[in-house]
Amino acid sequence: MVGLINLYSKEGHARSQEEEEFLTAVATTLAGVIERKKLEKELFNASEKWSKTFDSIADLIFIQDENNTITKVNRSFAEAMKSRPEDLIGKKCYKLLHNQDAPWNNCPFEDTKSDMKPHTEEVDDPNIGVPLLVTTSPILDDNGKLKGCVHISKDITERKKLMKELEESKDNFMSIVQKSPGGVVIVNSEGTVDFVNNSAEDLFGRKADDLVGSEFGFPVSEGKAEVDIIRGSCEKGIAEMYVVETSWEGKKNFLISFFDITTIKMAEDTLKEVNRRLHKLNQMKSEFVSVVSHDLRTPLTSIKNAIQLMITGKTGALNDTQKRFMSMAERNIDRLARLINDLLDLSRLEAGKIELRFSGVDIKHLMQYAVETFKPRASERSVQLGTDLPEDLPAVRADSDRIEQVLFNLMDNALKFTPEKGQITVSAENMGDKVGVKVKDTGVGIPADDQRHIFDQFYQVEDSLSRKTQGSGLGLAIVKQMVEAHGGEISVTSQVNKGSSFFFTLPVFSQKPPETEVFEKEIQQLMGNPAFSLIGVKPGQDGMTGAKSPGGPGIWHANQIVEIIRKVITRSSDRIIYHPDFDLLIIALIGTSKKDAEDIKERIVQMFMQNPVSGGAFPAVLGPVCYPDDGAKAGELFKKIHNSAVKT
């Protein structure tokens, strides 16, 4: 339906069949007119779009009929000919370009006329003045007969110049290759060595005469790999091998670079051992802090209770001096209790043992409560405490008690370092998928050098006011780790004597599981790439339970399966994404063809064979599938991987 005709009759009589047929004919005619107008408009728009695209192409293009008469030119061609487009229409191409009365001898259009196929020819006619790469593509009518062709010319002056320079620099290139500190080997498509440089001779302890013509001995596929080698000293070593497909003496070959990384690997092993020991020491420190803090809490509680009994007079009357000292002791016990609590929180956060009870939290209400709590203290110090909270703040995904602790720490800090008649403002903003919270003061500020370390444990800024308000140096370290444990970020901006602003974010509350949210964000980023291949890894019967340890949105680390995959997948652009619905690891290889992905899949399978997953069945390696060839949507690609379910 393209429209509706409403007819009204004053008499209200029923229409005759003749009237009905007439009205139907009118409606049909009007519908045809409307449809034709719509088609005319669409055709006009398409023509306009085509013309703009045609004129925007940098190559020199013209269209000619079967008699070599130019019928249309683009802007680039007209500018190159220093003419208006309309002045070129109707001219013979051979007369205009070659100043001849007949088609040019090497004209590719003559070949196109013969076989109705595109042809490309390098044209270097003195009449034109510059070398061109010319391609002619046939235009056929509905019966398959030639109507003309599209003539595309590209100025290859620079390319010709570069080719000449490349030829002239071949000797220089060979000299550079020979002097390269890394071993360079050229291997042909049959796997035979065609060339080695001096460094390769030294690396393998063999002369070029022995190596050239011999079988290479390593699997050849583009990319980077670590290989075991026998060094010149007959000792075992490790080399990093880079393979690039290239052309050598006009044939397809592989350029392979070797770098001896034996010493680096030994250093890495030493560093890993040092890190392991440091990790163990840090773990011991955290356990020690936790145990000592727990052990201190019990006697401290007993001391506090005893002092409170004495202050209230339940153990006998105290004079004013005794009450003053007892109150001082109580304040210091409270301070010590806060320090113990901070140490416990920090040790739990570092050990990943802090228990967070996530729910949808009314962040606006929580901030208002924090401000009301601090108003009496602010009033005592003649500091103005205010809020700037919008009405549309969504609920955040958070542990209410812990975010209250974050707010209290930031506001306590702001109050400590803001002098009398200063101002503290607590504000928030809706940032779409997260909420930003800011605590801003007009205090002493933080020097630029100190801002880099302000969230470090036990770090304190040295100035006169901070010395008067000394703390443990743990508050901001706890705040940072607590915010990051919620999936947020925190930052500080400050100017000395003007004030500081602490800003942190929290994710907006959603009914979706966190794994699903992370997955959706990863996929959104992935689909922004023009091409990629996907490989799936399905774990054994225990699945991914207990193996998830996000080191960033959707990226998996610190579990055995991913560590094994990472031995093959080394590029920073490639991603490993967890699919929560299929309990599947998706390896996304950016810019990788399906053929290359097949090779990578085989290497992953081999790596699993060499490094069995402890306590689990052999993982299934699925795919690959390629975007956009195997599917235009992420869901299609994932289903193809999941449904293949071919166990290796």
Side-chain angles (χ1 to χ4, degrees):
M1 185 174 77
V2 297
L4 185 68
I5 300 175
N6 291 319
L7 296 175
Y8 299 94
S9 173
K10 290 183 180 180
E11 290 81 6
H13 68 277
R15 287 186 289 273
S16 66
Q17 183 176 351
E18 218 173 77
E19 289 175 323
E20 290 283 351
E21 289 174 354
F22 172 75
L23 291 172
T24 300
V26 170
T28 303
T29 303
L30 288 173
V33 171
I34 293 169
E35 282 294 335
R36 188 167 65 253
K37 288 295 182 181
K38 284 171 67 178
L39 288 171
E40 287 174 357
K41 186 177 180 181
E42 288 173 6
L43 187 62
F44 176 79
N45 291 339
S47 176
E48 281 286 300
K49 187 175 180 181
W50 182 87
S51 294
K52 288 178 181 178
T53 304
F54 185 65
D55 275 334
S56 68
I57 297 172
D59 291 343
L60 316 180
I61 304 175
F62 65 82
I63 298 173
Q64 58 186 348
D65 64 17
E66 68 273 21
N67 298 314
N68 300 81
T69 302
I70 296 173
T71 59
K72 188 170 182 63
V73 302
N74 75 341
R75 185 181 291 116
S76 298
F77 182 80
E79 289 173 355
M81 301 305 297
K82 298 180 181 178
S83 299
R84 296 183 306 169
E86 53 268 29
D87 294 337
L88 302 173
I89 306 300
K91 293 187 176 181
K92 299 290 185 182
C93 66
Y94 47 78
K95 183 69 176 177
L96 180 67
L97 296 173
H98 305 289
N99 196 26
Q100 293 186 177
D101 295 327
W104 189 58
N105 291 336
N106 297 324
C107 179
F109 184 36
E110 296 306 306
D111 295 327
T112 297
K113 288 179 183 179
S114 300
D115 58 13
M116 305 290 189
K117 294 179 180 178
H119 284 274
T120 299
E121 187 76 37
E122 196 173 298
V123 176
D124 196 357
D125 185 351
N127 287 307
I128 298 175
V130 295
L132 298 172
L133 188 67
V134 176
T135 299
T136 56
S137 298
I139 302 173
L140 307 177
D141 62 17
D142 294 339
N143 298 317
K145 292 183 178 179
L146 186 74
K147 288 176 59 180
C149 85
V150 178
H151 186 289
I152 303 174
S153 301
K154 185 184 290 290
D155 187 343
I156 56 171
T157 305
E158 285 300 314
R159 193 175 82 173
K160 297 280 283 185
K161 182 181 176 184
L162 286 172
M163 286 176 67
K164 185 179 179 182
E165 289 173 357
L166 282 171
E167 289 172 4
E168 291 173 351
S169 66
K170 185 175 180 180
D171 291 340
N172 291 335
F173 168 73
M174 289 303 298
S175 175
I176 292 169
V177 169
Q178 286 292 5
K179 292 176 182 177
S180 170
V184 177
V185 179
I186 302 293
V187 177
N188 62 33
S189 56
E190 283 77 40
T192 304
V193 176
D194 283 349
F195 169 84
V196 296
N197 72 342
N198 296 334
S199 295
E201 289 181 321
D202 295 338
L203 182 65
F204 297 111
R206 296 172 64 186
K207 293 294 182 183
D209 291 341
D210 296 331
L211 292 168
V212 173
S214 65
E215 188 177 343
F216 180 55
F218 294 106
V220 178
S221 60
E222 282 196 293
K224 180 178 76 171
E226 289 180 8
V227 293
D228 295 326
I229 60 170
I230 302 297
R231 302 161 86 188
S233 55
C234 295
E235 297 175 348
K236 288 184 178 181
I238 302 173
E240 204 163 55
M241 182 175 79
Y242 295 84
V243 181
V244 178
E245 188 176 316
T246 184
S247 177
W248 180 264
E249 296 180 350
K251 295 179 181 178
K252 174 187 171 182
N253 280 271
F254 295 94
L255 173 66
I256 303 169
S257 304
F258 286 94
F259 296 93
D260 190 343
I261 58 170
T262 308
T263 306
I264 295 172
K265 281 294 177 183
M266 291 171 64
E268 282 181 0
D269 291 341
T270 303
L271 187 60
K272 283 178 183 177
E273 178 60 22
V274 171
N275 282 335
R276 187 189 66 79
R277 292 180 181 178
L278 286 173
H279 178 72
K280 188 174 181 180
L281 286 171
N282 190 53
Q283 198 172 22
M284 290 170 64
K285 180 263 297 180
S286 297
E287 289 172 359
F288 173 76
V289 168
S290 180
V291 171
V292 170
S293 300
H294 275 294
D295 288 348
L296 283 173
R297 264 183 166 181
T298 303
L300 204 61
T301 302
S302 299
I303 295 168
K304 181 177 172 67
N305 290 338
I307 288 175
Q308 285 178 333
L309 287 171
M310 295 174 74
I311 290 173
T312 56
K314 291 181 181 179
T315 59
L318 299 178
N319 59 38
D320 291 343
T321 302
Q322 289 170 331
K323 284 182 179 179
R324 182 161 50 83
F325 279 111
M326 285 296 168
S327 296
M328 188 187 304
E330 185 181 30
R331 285 196 301 274
N332 280 285
I333 287 170
D334 289 339
R335 181 182 172 193
L336 187 56
R338 286 194 297 273
L339 177 58
I340 290 170
N341 287 334
D342 284 349
L343 284 168
L344 276 172
D345 280 342
L346 198 58
S347 66
R348 287 182 190 132
L349 282 163
E350 286 179 338
K353 293 179 180 177
I354 196 83
E355 187 178 350
L356 298 176
R357 297 180 177 86
F358 289 107
S359 63
V361 175
D362 185 344
I363 187 66
K364 182 177 179 180
H365 174 76
L366 198 59
M367 293 169 73
Q368 288 170 334
Y369 169 73
V371 169
E372 289 301 317
T373 303
F374 276 84
K375 270 189 176 177
R377 278 182 59 192
S379 181
E380 287 175 10
R381 295 173 58 89
S382 300
V383 172
Q384 185 180 347
L385 182 56
T387 60
D388 180 12
L389 305 173
E391 293 295 328
D392 64 341
L393 277 183
V396 295
R397 181 178 177 271
D399 182 319
S400 179
D401 292 339
R402 294 302 184 179
I403 296 305
E404 180 183 296
Q405 182 183 353
V406 168
L407 288 168
F408 276 32
N409 268 342
L410 292 176
M411 292 178 67
D412 182 62
N413 253 24
L415 202 52
K416 279 181 188 176
F417 299 108
T418 300
E420 288 186 1
K421 297 183 180 178
Q423 186 173 351
I424 299 171
T425 304
V426 180
S427 61
E429 60 177 307
N430 185 346
M431 301 172 69
D433 61 348
K434 55 190 173 183
V435 170
V437 178
K438 184 187 291 184
V439 177
K440 184 177 181 182
D441 64 58
T442 57
V444 294
I446 305 166
D449 290 341
D450 291 308
Q451 289 178 35
R452 297 197 305 270
H453 307 288
I454 199 69
F455 295 108
D456 295 349
Q457 295 175 26
F458 304 108
Y459 189 82
Q460 293 182 327
V461 178
E462 289 295 330
D463 62 52
S464 57
L465 185 56
S466 69
R467 281 193 288 272
K468 291 177 187 175
T469 57
Q470 199 103 33
S472 66
L474 292 174
L476 289 177
I478 291 170
V479 163
K480 183 176 188 293
Q481 294 211 35
M482 202 72 79
V483 168
E484 289 176 350
H486 280 75
E489 296 177 343
I490 187 165
S491 60
V492 60
T493 54
S494 184
Q495 281 185 281
V496 176
N497 298 325
K498 289 190 177 181
S500 302
S501 177
F502 286 84
F503 180 81
F504 68 91
T505 60
L506 292 171
V508 168
F509 178 71
S510 170
Q511 297 294 341
K512 294 179 182 178
E515 293 88 352
T516 301
E517 288 189 36
V518 165
F519 174 70
E520 288 176 353
K521 286 181 182 177
E522 280 286 352
I523 296 313
Q524 189 176 3
Q525 293 176 10
L526 179 65
M527 297 308 288
N529 293 286
F532 55 84
S533 290
L534 302 178
I535 296 172
V537 176
K538 188 81 171 173
Q541 59 184 3
D542 293 334
M544 286 295 167
T545 306
K548 288 173 272 188
S549 179
I555 310 301
W556 287 51
H557 300 283
N559 67 78
Q560 196 180 6
I561 290 176
V562 172
E563 283 178 1
I564 293 169
I565 294 171
R566 283 290 180 202
K567 291 180 180 180
V568 179
I569 308 301
T570 57
R571 297 190 309 178
S572 59
S573 60
D574 295 331
R575 315 294 282 169
I576 301 176
I577 306 167
Y578 176 60
H579 197 308
D581 296 335
F582 294 153
D583 192 29
L584 190 69
L585 284 178
I586 302 291
I587 303 168
L589 306 168
I590 310 303
T592 302
S593 68
K594 194 169 184 177
K595 179 179 177 297
D596 290 338
E598 289 279 6
D599 295 337
I600 292 169
K601 174 187 173 180
E602 289 305 314
R603 285 163 55 196
I604 292 171
V605 171
Q606 291 298 321
M607 195 61 71
F608 277 127
M609 289 180 175
Q610 296 166 16
N611 302 270
V613 178
S614 57
F618 194 91
V621 185
L622 312 174
V625 295
C626 182
Y627 171 83
D629 297 344
D630 293 325
K633 294 182 180 179
E636 297 175 41
L637 299 171
F638 297 138
K639 281 182 181 177
K640 284 186 179 181
I641 290 179
H642 179 65
N643 294 337
S644 63
V646 179
K647 288 197 174 181
T648 54

